Amino acid sequence: MGEIMQELKDIIEIHNGNRVSNTFSAKEYASRLGKLRTHMADAKIDHVLFSSYQNINYYSDFLYYSFGRFYALVVDHDKQTSLSANIDGAQPWRRTVGDNLIYTDWTRDNYFKALQQLIKDGGRIGIEFDNMTMQNMDKLKTAFPKSEFVDVSVACMQMRMIKSDAEIALIKHGAQVADIGGAACTEAIAPGVPEHEVAIHSTDAMIREIAKRFPDSELRDTWTWFQSGINTDGAHNPVTTKKIERGDILSVNCFPMISGYYTALERTLFSEEVSDAHLKLWEINVQVHERGIELIQPGAKCCDIALELNEIYREHGILDRRTFGYGHSFGVLSHYYGREAGLELREDINTVLEPNMVISMEPMIMIPEGEPGAGGYREHDILVVGEDGSENITGFPYGPEKNVIKN
């Protein structure tokens, strides 16, 4: 047994095949890392240990699957190295902008042994406080007893909130793919069709479009939530086998993912016909949506936008039917990772909108079952903030004139 374990190393490297074409240019990643290293110098940080999906992807172009294992990107003032599990082979090396080191499963806590190879004990180590479990924090302190740990999550979130021109170009592609997913939904909608069939048709259309536009990308994580009737009451309710009925309120949610970058299209629709009670509520939500789009301008404060939109709902007596904030930032984000929480259109967020921020307008109200007009209503557009205004990059139509679907 001892001889076998000697053959099974704790830390290895695998360079299999050739490096891939990365999502962005080498100049783009150098710019991101340069800003990070400037922060490191200002804060007297010797190494940064990223553990989250979003920051590892943002700085290295490597997006991992966890499956209960831990991953990292270690950045010092000269180089950056991703740390991955042996189960992934050389894919992390092929994808990473920088070096890659692999830890094996043969002995416990090889992940921390690998970190000791990449980080010298005794300095200041930047970590993501919002992505570190207590268990792993204890193990880090044991592995680096002479080091000081400081948070970098907030500073990096603020860096990610301002998009580069290259990021905005990719996000625009994503918005266009989402529009294609929405069109596929409307093709499939009809009484008697199950929710899952509509979602499958939409998701397949988006994946094929991403493959056409980005032939060197990894095709993963694109999905559609399509809900009908009572299932529309939550924005993130899963797809079911429920069949569409005539007069159903419908929610289309198309989410293309391109190299870790999330975009979205969300729309309220109706199958065949819409009742007077539903129509009145739908028109109110569209009114809020359109005013919100107008308010997304450079210099506007997130909380002020939320407070003004609240007044429209209050005038109609349905402010208490709001379900969440009016919008959020886009970029490296998904349903299971990432959140630029400092850029959300909520009453408790004081961030001022700046050029090259990307943010949604997505008001939602929910009327409980049994009341006139029952269901969840939401529209969702993505806007890029510019120097003198904002650009709406969502093209799919919204509102009663376009989205009562008769197939």
Side-chain angles (χ1 to χ4, degrees):
M1 182 67 178
E3 292 179 359
I4 294 176
M5 294 307 295
Q6 287 179 1
E7 295 176 4
L8 302 176
K9 297 180 179 179
D10 294 339
I11 303 165
I12 60 175
E13 295 183 28
I14 304 176
H15 296 175
N16 186 37
N18 299 315
R19 298 283 191 138
V20 301
S21 297
N22 289 109
T23 305
F24 300 102
S25 67
K27 182 179 178 181
E28 171 73 13
Y29 290 105
S31 175
R32 298 178 186 186
L33 289 160
K35 292 173 184 175
L36 173 63
R37 288 177 173 128
T38 296
H39 172 72
M40 290 169 64
D42 292 342
K44 297 180 171 55
I45 295 172
D46 300 292
H47 295 83
V48 169
L49 163 59
F50 289 120
S51 53
S52 69
Y53 292 98
Q54 60 268 24
N55 277 321
I56 293 175
N57 178 254
Y58 183 76
Y59 289 105
S60 76
D61 202 29
F62 166 50
L63 184 62
Y64 65 83
Y65 280 131
S66 174
F67 279 99
R69 294 176 172 87
F70 305 119
Y71 291 74
L73 179 71
V74 176
V75 182
D76 61 26
H77 290 275
D78 300 309
K79 63 182 185 301
Q80 64 277 353
T81 305
S82 63
L83 176 58
S84 57
N86 193 26
I87 193 171
D88 294 325
Q91 185 270 345
W93 171 78
R94 291 194 294 270
R95 174 62 57 178
T96 297
V97 176
D99 297 327
N100 172 253
L101 197 63
I102 294 171
Y103 71 94
T104 68
D105 288 346
W106 316 133
T107 55
R108 187 175 298 277
D109 288 338
N110 282 345
Y111 173 82
F112 296 94
K113 294 178 184 177
L115 289 177
Q116 287 175 316
Q117 186 168 315
L118 295 172
I119 300 173
K120 182 180 178 181
D121 192 17
R124 282 167 62 89
I125 303 174
I127 62 173
E128 298 171 82
F129 280 12
D130 61 351
N131 192 255
M132 184 61 62
T133 65
M134 292 180 67
Q135 182 184 56
N136 280 357
M137 190 72 246
D138 288 342
K139 290 182 178 182
L140 272 181
K141 290 177 180 178
T142 299
F144 302 98
K146 300 177 182 178
S147 295
E148 177 186 2
F149 297 94
V150 297
D151 183 46
V152 295
S153 61
V154 174
C156 289
M157 176 192 71
Q158 290 170 340
M159 294 179 209
R160 298 198 316 273
M161 280 165 43
I162 306 296
K163 311 303 178 194
S164 68
D165 291 344
E167 285 182 283
I168 291 172
L170 184 143
I171 291 169
K172 287 182 177 180
H173 277 287
Q176 292 163 10
V177 173
D179 288 343
I180 289 170
C185 279
T186 61
E187 289 175 352
I189 289 170
V193 177
E195 291 177 1
H196 70 276
E197 290 294 342
V198 177
I200 288 169
H201 189 59
S202 170
T203 301
D204 286 352
M206 291 191 291
I207 291 172
R208 291 188 177 106
E209 185 65 20
I210 293 169
K212 183 171 70 174
R213 294 182 183 220
F214 297 91
D216 295 323
S217 68
E218 298 173 343
L219 299 172
R220 53 192 288 189
D221 300 329
T222 292
W223 83 106
T224 301
W225 283 322
F226 176 77
Q227 301 128 346
S228 62
I230 194 170
N231 293 336
T232 65
D233 67 346
H236 300 158
N237 289 352
V239 173
T240 75
T241 58
K242 178 187 175 301
K243 293 181 179 179
I244 300 170
E245 299 178 31
R246 184 182 183 91
D248 263 352
I249 185 172
L250 310 173
S251 287
V252 167
N253 307 263
C254 301
F255 305 114
M257 292 290 295
I258 304 171
S259 299
Y261 277 73
Y262 161 102
T263 45
L265 169 71
E266 300 174 13
R267 288 289 185 260
T268 298
L269 305 92
F270 281 80
S271 175
E272 300 291 325
E273 61 188 22
V274 53
S275 73
D276 290 343
H278 283 101
L279 180 61
K280 180 179 178 181
L281 290 159
W282 194 6
E283 289 176 336
I284 292 170
N285 209 51
V286 166
Q287 179 187 356
V288 174
H289 182 62
E290 291 178 339
R291 180 57 181 151
I293 289 171
E294 293 173 351
L295 292 174
I296 295 178
Q297 300 289 331
K301 190 179 291 186
C302 291
C303 58
D304 291 345
I305 293 174
L307 290 170
E308 180 168 336
L309 296 181
N310 281 349
E311 288 304 310
I312 301 176
Y313 283 135
R314 182 176 285 112
E315 289 169 5
H316 292 283
I318 57 171
L319 179 59
D320 62 331
R321 303 306 174 91
R322 260 193 66 201
T323 62
F324 56 84
Y326 288 103
H328 60 81
S329 183
F330 282 79
V332 179
L333 168 70
S334 178
H335 54 313
Y336 62 91
Y337 64 83
R339 194 70 170 183
E340 293 169 8
L343 186 52
E344 297 193 20
L345 298 177
R346 298 184 353 185
E347 295 85 344
D348 59 343
I349 302 294
N350 295 316
T351 302
V352 175
L353 298 185
E354 300 178 33
N356 281 38
M357 288 181 170
V358 181
I359 194 165
S360 62
M361 174 47 56
E362 49 176 314
M364 179 174 176
I365 52 174
M366 191 278 283
I367 311 302
E369 195 75 1
E371 296 187 20
Y377 302 75
R378 64 187 173 279
E379 313 295 344
H380 179 296
D381 286 18
I382 301 174
L383 293 99
V384 178
V385 181
E387 295 290 342
D388 303 313
S390 62
E391 177 187 2
N392 189 337
I393 62 174
T394 297
F396 195 86
Y398 60 83
E401 292 184 2
K402 298 290 186 179
N403 286 334
V404 178
I405 308 302
K406 299 178 180 181
N407 286 335

